[in-house]
Every structure is written in C-alpha cells, then in structure tokens.
Amino acid sequence: MISNIECLVTACKELNISYSFLDKNKNCVAVGTEPFSFFINASNPLNDESVAVLIKDKEFAYNALKDIVRMPETRAYFDPAHDEYGLYKTFNSHKETAEDILKSFALPIMIKRNKGARSVHVFRADTQEEIQKAITTVFDQKNKDYDYVALAQTYIPSKTEYRVIVLDRKIAVSYTHLRAHETKANLVCRL
C-alpha cells in the first residue's frame, strides 16, 4: 500500500467511513457507499478532468501556481526531434537545448520530463555534459518513458519532501514522502 492510500485508510477509520480494497496490493480503494469514490494509486476523485490534466503537466502547473506558491524556477524545452507540433520548437538540437539551459540556470540544475511520476527521468546535472545526457535521455523517442517536453529547474536541496492533499482550500492530509532507502511512513492526517 502506498503512503497516500495508507493515509486515506487511516482517515476513513478515524471518521468511520466505509472503504474496500479492489486490488491485492491495496492501492485501489472504493470509499463510501454507492456511488463510490475511487482512490487509485496517486489519483483521487476530488479533482475534475481539467485539474487532473493540470496536475499531471508540470509546466502547466508551474505556470498556474508560480505566483501563488513558492516553486523552483522552471523552463520547458520542446524536443527538437519531435515531428508533431513543430511550431513549439525553439532549438534545432539537443546540444542547443543544453547550451540554453546552462546559460539560463546556475549549476547544479534539475532536468526532468514534463509528465510522469515516481522520479523516472529526473536528473541532477552538475556539468554541461550531464545536462546534455539528461536532455538526450528525456528526449529518447525509443524509450518507453519518452517525453517531448523536458523541464529545467533550479536545484533546491531538501532533507524532507512533503506530500499534501488539499480539499476545499484547506490541507486535509499531509505526510512525508519516503525515499527508496526509508522504511516507514510518517503520516500526519489532519481532518
């Protein structure tokens, strides 16, 4: 069971709300009575479709929230080898893209794919060569995790990463995100 589902189950127990697991790994939960609300992995029924798309697209989310929430400076780069949507191309090669990133940001820098999760194709780059390698990896059209938009972000060192669920403009649930080497979730449910 992943941390956010574990926290959801804790909240359901505390509030005496019925729930049932729909899979053996306990990451798909039906909450309440018919019609059920389905919480599946990191997704939830609390957002409409447009908000869900906004949340999954890091560039859109950054542009929507940067003046409201403190966020690392972020710039999006379109894959110069992507044939569709050619009008979005700014650079003609991965090398030109990497050079612009180096010119626009101080090192170290974070390079990541625009869409995706679970730290797949997220790189900390300390040199121009590492920026180039990260861009080439994100823009590898033969890779199953390919994305035609890569993001460059200011690097912000952190000791703890928090996940927060907001409901009706209030924090409903918060918990610390576990790194691969950690073993126990530190869940804090605010109801």
Side-chain angles (χ1 to χ4, degrees), residues 166-172:
V166 177
L167 180 63
D168 295 329
R169 298 177 180 250
K170 295 178 188 159
I171 295 175

Side-chain angles (χ1 to χ4, degrees), residues 57 101 139 164 171 173:
D57 190 298
I101 291 170
F139 289 156
V164 177
I171 295 175
V173 176

Side-chain angles (χ1 to χ4, degrees), residues 2 40 78 95 103-104 110 119 123 135 147 149 155 174:
I2 61 177
I40 305 167
F78 196 83
K95 183 179 180 193
K103 184 172 59 175
S104 303
M110 298 304 294
S119 300
F123 306 94
I135 288 296
D147 195 337
V149 176
Y155 173 74
S174 68

Side-chain angles (χ1 to χ4, degrees), residues 171-188:
I171 295 175
V173 176
S174 68
Y175 58 94
T176 56
H177 175 66
L178 296 177
R179 308 240 190 278
H181 63 279
E182 295 177 293
T183 57
K184 188 169 190 304
N186 177 19
L187 301 175
V188 178

Side-chain angles (χ1 to χ4, degrees), residues 46-57:
L46 305 176
N47 300 317
D48 64 25
E49 184 179 358
S50 62
V51 171
V53 170
L54 179 74
I55 290 168
K56 289 179 183 179
D57 190 298

